[in-house]
Amino acid sequence: MENGKPVASHTRRNPGVPLRMEWFDGIRINTPASERRAASLPARRSLKKDWQAAWLLNAVRCIDLTTLSGDDTPDRVARLCAKARAPIEAGQLATLGVQGLTTGAVCVYPTMVAAAKRALEGSGVPVASVATGFPAGLMPLDLRLAEIRYALDQGADEIDIVISRAHVLQGNWSALYDELCAMREACGAALMKSILATGELKTLENVAKASHVAMQAGSDFIKTSTGKEPVNATLPVSLTMLRTIRDYRDQTGFAVGFKPAGGLRTAKDALNWQVLMLEELGRDWLRPDLFRIGASSLLGDIERQISHHVTGRYAAAHRLAAG
Ligand SMILES: O=C[C@H](O)COP(=O)(O)O
């Protein structure tokens, strides 16, 4: 902590700590209570209408605008990057008194990093690359580390790694910690976001324990999902992860970022996740160095809602580029 404020991960990387299983050994999560709390969010705390446009713009600056498809091409990535540079129509932004808005990052496969870097030159928008055998992670560790190095060589600023789910499912926390430390080292100066693939971890206890290990090994962000699991980001899982981030901050003074990803498609999702962040971690976490939303198709609905706010009517879908 510095002056009672969380230490931002863009100014100081999470140094991690030696593996401390006692921080999570006895952890118990009341799953029905977490589900009730998550279910009550949208109904209980609706953001004031006048403020919704501002919250939606904040969501935009926190989006990791993503394409992770087998048919990605450099042209598609270049179009996505153009969108990341100017996600909201300039006239509407001017009406809202905002300028220079970009998304938080663009997120692509390693072989698309060079195209993204070219397209984003001079914009200040970082390029995040998935790596380590995304999405399943079922590759030998040396190849997974080599993939991180390849992505960095191509110019990636941030690396979204995937963990070995088997280590979690077998309760092999030291193996998980060692794997993550090796990845963290391979990332060098690049931010490391650790994807836990929570939809495959079976229990919220496992989600909490994996979150602790990921932070102890030096992850700068913990991320819910690849977008490829049968169940991706959910509010109860996010609640569990946010509480571990709070515990880690209390134990170490270090603020780790959070990235919900997978299945977030509506402006309402963007608002709900921000309310959850606000209530669990406070306003200081609602900025791109501590909060990202991983999404391939969220921007379109946000554009629609902002356009409605500014013009009083919904634009036809074909006028809004897909997000
Ligand atoms: O990291 C981001 C996810 O892959 C995006 O998932 P999505 O396509 O469901 O938005």
Side-chain angles (χ1 to χ4, degrees), residues 64 66-68 107 130 134 160 195 223 225-228 232 259-265 293-298:
D64 277 6
T66 300
T67 185
L68 293 168
C107 182
V130 295
F134 180 95
D160 287 27
I195 309 175
K223 170 174 169 182
S225 319
T226 65
K228 314 286 185 194
N232 290 286
K259 178 173 170 182
L264 275 72
R265 305 211 190 298
I293 302 172
S296 61
S297 55
L298 168 65

Side-chain angles (χ1 to χ4, degrees), residues 14 38-40 61 82 90 111 120 123 126 139 149-150 156 168 176-177 188 192 196 200 204 216 235 256 258 268 281:
N14 175 13
S40 73
R61 76 177 182 131
T111 50
L120 288 171
S123 68
M139 268 172 33
R149 288 191 284 271
Y150 170 82
V168 177
L176 180 64
Y177 178 82
M192 181 164 97
L196 305 182
E200 295 179 342
L204 289 180
Q216 291 180 10
L235 287 167
V256 167
F258 178 63
K268 202 163 186 291
L281 293 175

Side-chain angles (χ1 to χ4, degrees), residues 127-147:
V127 175
S129 175
V130 295
T132 73
F134 180 95
L138 291 171
M139 268 172 33
L141 184 59
D142 56 342
L143 298 182
R144 298 169 75 198
L145 298 178
E147 197 187 15

Side-chain angles (χ1 to χ4, degrees), residues 47-223:
L47 295 166
K48 276 205 195 99
K49 231 181 162 42
D50 285 354
W51 291 100
Q52 282 194 6
W55 283 103
L56 291 176
L57 292 178
N58 193 58
V60 170
R61 76 177 182 131
C62 294
I63 290 180
D64 277 6
L65 195 61
T66 300
T67 185
L68 293 168
S69 299
D71 57 354
D72 282 345
T73 62
D75 284 350
R76 177 188 286 172
V77 167
R79 285 196 297 276
L80 191 78
C81 291
K83 204 67 200 155
R85 282 173 175 269
I88 301 293
E89 199 262 313
Q92 292 180 9
L93 271 193
T95 308
L96 294 166
V98 174
Q99 45 180 323
L101 181 75
T102 66
T103 65
V106 160
C107 182
V108 293
Y109 273 115
T111 50
M112 295 294 144
V113 168
K117 282 302 277 189
R118 270 196 305 279
L120 288 171
E121 209 182 330
S123 68
V125 178
V127 175
S129 175
V130 295
T132 73
F134 180 95
L138 291 171
M139 268 172 33
L141 184 59
D142 56 342
L143 298 182
R144 298 169 75 198
L145 298 178
E147 197 187 15
I148 293 177
R149 288 191 284 271
Y150 170 82
L152 293 174
D153 228 45
Q154 296 292 300
D157 305 289
E158 306 179 355
I159 303 287
D160 287 27
I161 64 95
V162 289
I163 63 163
S164 296
R165 282 66 128 181
H167 293 329
V168 177
L169 298 172
Q170 294 171 333
N172 195 346
W173 305 117
S174 56
L176 180 64
Y177 178 82
D178 291 347
E179 161 181 298
L180 284 160
C181 286
M183 292 174 180
R184 169 72 160 81
E185 198 187 340
C187 284
L191 279 190
M192 181 164 97
K193 308 199 203 90
S194 295
I195 309 175
L196 305 182
T198 55
E200 295 179 342
L201 300 186
K202 305 274 191 249
T203 65
L204 289 180
E205 271 89 8
N206 278 344
V207 169
K209 290 174 181 180
S211 300
H212 273 288
V213 174
M215 291 185 284
Q216 291 180 10
S219 304
D220 298 298
F221 273 75
I222 52 175
K223 170 174 169 182

